[in-house]
Amino acid sequence: MKKQIKYGVCVLASLLLLGEPIGVQASEQNGRNVAALDTEELLTAGIGDLFISELSKIEYVEIAREAEGALWGYTNLGICNVEENNLNIRQEPDESGKMVGKLPKNAACEIVSSENGWAYITSGKVEGYVKEEYLLTGYEAKKRGGELASAIAVATTDGLNIREYPNLDAEVVTQVASGEFLDIVEIQDDGWIKVYLDDEEVFVSADYVEVKSDLETAITMTELMYGQGVSDVRVDICQYAKQFLGNPYVWGGTSLTNGADCSGFVLSVFAKYGVSLPHSSRAQANMGTGINASELQPGDLVFYAKGGTINHVALYIGGGQVIHASSPKTGIKISSYNYRTPHKMVRILQ
């Protein structure tokens, strides 16, 4: 019974600390920690006996302390708090230490330890040291996390069909691979989930995705690396594009800082290097030379289509990755180049 009571107190303490109502939303916000508890255990967690248990005040305080930060899978949550760009993650606690990754603005990490102004963190696939002054911690981190956490649908099967309408007879717009994240617009009562496919709203069956509430994590240096034999111009154009990671998506926009759509982002990046492109993904697809996936190099363009009509463009940055102005929800982001089925690939830089 005492174990059951403790589980109940943990859940209740977390909710009371955050001021959230007890319900489905709170369970989702607690991510894997709450989801991992057996349903029967939750239902018999001793909530009814909570205030007549023999736990002391000290035990209650300790349970509440342990429950703090138990959101989104983190126990000691840190949120990157930089004005712009990314926070460098280093192998050693020194500004001259080897860089092992980057923590984007508002991304989350687990703070393992801290000493002399440096915090040792883990985030996604990256672990290393960051300057502690650039992290929100404690209540401020949880508050910011609550503002930033987005509902995502994770594909649980390869070749997940993305449909134009919530119906099995609707056109399949594209397919995505297992493990790909889709930003949720709305969870419907009919077994379908409305998601963003870049800047369009489409649908997936709830049977083939896992719904989670998550925070952005660090980017590995591998995800930012280029292939060998790449020209300086190609390296420079990709490095320049990545400066704007996390900036907003604005339909019709061409501003790399204040907002751009997919073709506006590509247009403005190439303009920096004296290359003029039209403001349309379909028109951009008719520029340059068509190539196949095995020929992709950083600086090439990857196009995606809906119903055979090109409607999105991304800049290939090497290592199987593209950077693109994706949607109003995510802004400029990095994805796998085949996060959806590529329709055409084009080389602009000869």
Side-chain angles (χ1 to χ4, degrees), residues 156-288:
T156 57
T157 183
D158 272 324
L160 172 65
N161 289 330
I162 307 294
R163 297 187 183 272
E164 188 166 10
Y165 302 107
N167 190 299
L168 291 176
D169 296 326
E171 176 190 355
V172 175
V173 176
T174 190
Q175 294 182 322
V176 299
S178 178
E180 285 292 338
F181 290 1
L182 297 164
D183 291 295
I184 293 175
V185 179
E186 179 186 8
I187 299 176
Q188 301 186 169
D189 295 332
D190 56 3
W192 291 88
I193 299 176
K194 184 190 293 186
V195 298
Y196 274 121
L197 183 66
D198 297 317
D199 59 343
E200 294 199 38
E201 295 180 357
V202 290
F203 296 86
V204 294
S205 169
D207 294 335
Y208 302 105
V209 297
E210 178 187 1
V211 175
K212 300 169 64 178
S213 178
D214 218 346
L215 293 166
E216 187 179 1
T217 54
I219 303 167
T220 67
M221 292 308 293
T222 301
E223 290 169 329
L224 296 171
M225 283 174 62
Y226 310 97
Q228 291 184 342
V230 177
S231 71
D232 289 344
V233 171
R234 288 179 176 274
V235 170
D236 287 348
I237 203 167
C238 294
Q239 193 65 22
Y240 177 69
K242 286 186 288 189
Q243 292 182 52
F244 308 105
L245 190 66
N247 284 353
Y249 173 100
V250 174
W251 189 86
T254 58
S255 171
L256 296 172
T257 52
N258 296 324
D261 58 16
C262 64
S263 59
F265 173 68
V266 168
L267 176 158
S268 296
V269 168
F270 274 83
K272 167 78 172 177
Y273 294 84
V275 179
S276 179
L277 294 175
H279 192 180
S280 160
S281 58
R282 288 191 291 277
Q284 289 176 0
N286 293 323
M287 307 288 287

Side-chain angles (χ1 to χ4, degrees), residues 111-130:
I111 301 174
V112 179
S113 62
S114 60
E115 188 175 355
N116 298 327
W118 289 87
Y120 185 76
I121 66 162
T122 61
S123 180
K125 301 174 184 177
V126 187
E127 56 182 277
Y129 293 90
V130 299

Side-chain angles (χ1 to χ4, degrees), residues 307-324:
T309 301
I310 288 172
N311 68 346
H312 193 69
V313 59
L315 175 68
Y316 187 72
I317 58 173
Q321 306 281 317
V322 292
I323 186 168
H324 56 137

Side-chain angles (χ1 to χ4, degrees), residues 5 9 35 44 53 76 111 144 158 162 182 232 278 281 335 343:
I5 292 172
V9 177
T44 59
S53 73
N76 191 8
I111 301 174
R144 179 72 61 85
D158 272 324
I162 307 294
L182 297 164
D232 289 344
S281 58
S335 304
H343 183 77

